[in-house]
Each structure stands twice: as C-alpha cells, then as structure tokens.
Amino acid sequence: MHVGAHVSVAGGVDNAVQRQLDVGGNCGQIFTTSPQVWQEPEIEDDEVDRFVDGSVESSVGPWVIHSAYLVNLATPKADLQEKSRSSMQAELDAADRLGIDFVNVHLGAHTGAGVEGGLDNAAEIIDSLDIPDDVTLLIESDAGSGTKLGGEFEHLAGVIDRTNADIEVCLDTAHAFAAGYDLSTSDAVEQSLGEFDDVVGFDKLSYVHLNDSKHDCGTNKDEHAHIGEGEIGEAGMRAFINHDAIRDVPLVLETPTENGKSYEWNIDRVQELRD
C-alpha cells in the first residue's frame, strides 16, 4: 500500500524524504517553491542527489510535485497563460531532475471564457509543454466553485480528449465529494467511481489525494478533514480505500493539523481502514 503526505521542502528538497518517513509515509507530494508566488524552483545538484538517493534507499515513492496555486491553465488572459506555461515547464523540468514521476495541476478557472473555451485553453497550454519522457502530467479534480473547471469528470475527460499529450488524472476525494460525487457509503463509492470509470477511465487514474471533507456533498466547499472524521466518514473512506480500482493507486494526504492530530495519525488511520 502506497500512502503518504504532502511534506515540506524547507531547508532543501532532500529533507522531504526524512519528513515523509517521520510521519510513516512511503510516497508523497511536495511543492518545489512557495505555491503563492511566481517563482521557479531553485534546487542545487547536491540536493537532487540526496533526494534521489534517499528516496531509493528508503523505498519512498512515487512522488508528485504539486504546481503553484497561481497556475491557471483555463484562463483566456494571454499574460496569465504565459506565466502558467512557464511555471508548469519549470515544474516538469524539476521533476525530471529529481526522478519524480508526476506533476499535478488544477485546470483553473475559465473566468468568462466558458467551459469549452476553458478546456480549449488548458489543452493548448498542455500541448505547448515539453513533457519529459519519464514524467506524467496529472490533472486534478476540483471542488467546482465559480468558474473553476475540474469539478465534473467530463471536464477531466474533455482535456484528455483535446490534448495530444499523454496526461492522466489525480482524483481528490474531498474535491469530488464537494463537487457532488457522493463517497459516504459503500454504494455511493461504487456509483461515483463507476461514473469516473465511464467518463474518464480507471486507466487514467494515477494518483489520489485522500482527504475527508468538513462540508456536505455538493456544497462546492473545499475544506479538508481528518480521515473518517468528516462528512465522507469512516464507512465511505473504508469503501473507497478498499475499492478494487484504488488498491494499487498511491494515496497522498492533505489533511489538517488540528485537534492533536496530524499526518502521522491520518496515515495510521488509512492503514487501519485497509482490509
């Protein structure tokens, strides 16, 4: 079972390996820079060597880089398109250097271009990227508020259909739940994942952000909760984690640190729920 957490790279990207081990994870996610600013990764060669060696020696992986929050693939604005493209290329290149398999990104908001226009914009940026052979770009499902794309599985499939690149998907359980895909019972999980398979395909599912939700299904509110203690709940999380289509997919947690519980507690909880 591959389960881990989003960990900090403070002091050097290589520190992420030990931080992952400290919380009991064996795969994981990182930002290469602050996600709130336009800044390209600045990673020294010795950091790269220590990250790669540490990951191999500790059997930690696969890793995924999460792109900056400022990236908006769906935007119709030329200046934001170029900044987004440049940022994504830098993340893909960093992943290649670090031996990281995946780079994850949200589609962003179409801000008036419409769903079809936004999906066209996203595909155009993706097709302009030079994606390294050993790196896969993942499009993440979204909670679906406002003009943001990715809340509907059809949006994910729409970008896959439009692009010439071999992109895949990261499914966020809290986002999907907030967007209206119920995951709170065994039957609901079966139905929602069945819809995902029909629209996108399990063959395109390469990573999962495993998060419970503080808000009800269909509210479009993105606020994560501890595993089994949110509105998805223990029964839903157990059913999801043990679904045949999920069992071999790496799971990374973005759960909060509150009420005396952090990543270590949540990783232990996931392992307890796995049959």
Side-chain angles (χ1 to χ4, degrees), residues 3-165:
V3 58
H6 183 115
V7 293
S8 169
V9 298
V13 68
D14 51 305
N15 291 326
V17 179
Q18 187 58 51
R19 290 185 178 118
Q20 194 63 247
L21 295 172
D22 288 344
V23 297
N26 59 9
C27 65
Q29 180 175 267
I30 60 171
F31 292 123
T32 60
T33 64
S34 169
Q36 307 285 2
V37 297
W38 295 113
Q39 180 180 345
E40 292 194 0
E42 296 179 358
I43 305 172
E44 301 295 333
D45 288 343
D46 58 342
E47 291 178 52
V48 172
D49 292 341
R50 289 193 296 268
F51 178 87
V52 172
D53 292 345
S55 296
V56 171
E57 291 169 5
S58 304
S59 298
V60 176
W63 288 95
V64 56
I65 292 174
H66 195 300
S67 65
Y69 293 140
L70 299 177
V71 169
N72 188 345
L73 302 184
T75 182
K77 300 176 182 178
D79 59 338
L80 184 51
Q81 287 177 347
E82 179 51 34
K83 287 180 179 179
S84 297
R85 189 209 66 77
S86 179
S87 179
M88 288 305 301
Q89 189 61 60
E91 300 288 17
L92 290 164
D93 293 341
D96 194 32
R97 288 182 66 204
L98 291 163
I100 289 179
D101 297 284
F102 303 106
V103 173
N104 178 67
V105 65
H106 294 267
L107 287 173
H110 66 70
T111 61
V115 172
E116 297 303 314
L119 295 177
D120 288 342
N121 292 337
E124 184 175 348
I125 292 178
I126 292 170
D127 281 342
S128 74
L129 297 171
D130 181 11
I131 303 176
D133 290 341
D134 294 330
V135 179
T136 300
L137 180 63
L138 304 180
I139 303 299
E140 182 179 344
S141 63
D142 197 90
S145 61
T147 66
K148 290 182 179 179
L149 300 179
E152 297 179 22
F153 293 156
E154 285 79 6
H155 297 167
L156 307 176
V159 173
I160 291 171
D161 290 343
R162 282 168 168 81
T163 182
N164 295 317

Side-chain angles (χ1 to χ4, degrees), residues 211-214 224-230 233 237 255-263 265-266 269:
N211 303 298
D212 211 323
S213 173
K214 290 187 177 181
H224 299 174
H226 294 304
I227 300 299
E229 299 199 344
M237 279 292 168
T255 46
T257 298
E258 59 186 16
N259 302 325
K261 300 169 183 175
S262 58
Y263 283 142
W265 184 92
N266 281 279
R269 190 75 179 109

Side-chain angles (χ1 to χ4, degrees), residues 198-255:
D198 289 342
V199 176
V200 181
F202 287 140
D203 61 315
K204 287 294 184 180
L205 180 60
S206 290
Y207 229 103
V208 164
H209 284 172
L210 190 71
N211 303 298
D212 211 323
S213 173
K214 290 187 177 181
H215 301 283
D216 289 338
C217 183
T219 59
N220 302 123
K221 293 182 179 180
D222 178 16
E223 193 174 2
H224 299 174
H226 294 304
I227 300 299
E229 299 199 344
E231 296 301 319
I232 295 176
E234 181 178 322
M237 279 292 168
R238 182 186 296 276
F240 183 89
I241 292 166
N242 289 291
H243 192 281
D244 287 344
I246 303 300
R247 292 188 67 88
D248 294 329
V249 178
L251 314 171
V252 69
L253 307 178
E254 300 168 320
T255 46

Side-chain angles (χ1 to χ4, degrees), residues 260-274:
K261 300 169 183 175
S262 58
Y263 283 142
E264 186 173 6
W265 184 92
N266 281 279
I267 288 174
D268 286 345
R269 190 75 179 109
V270 172
Q271 292 169 337
E272 289 171 2
L273 292 174
R274 173 60 69 89

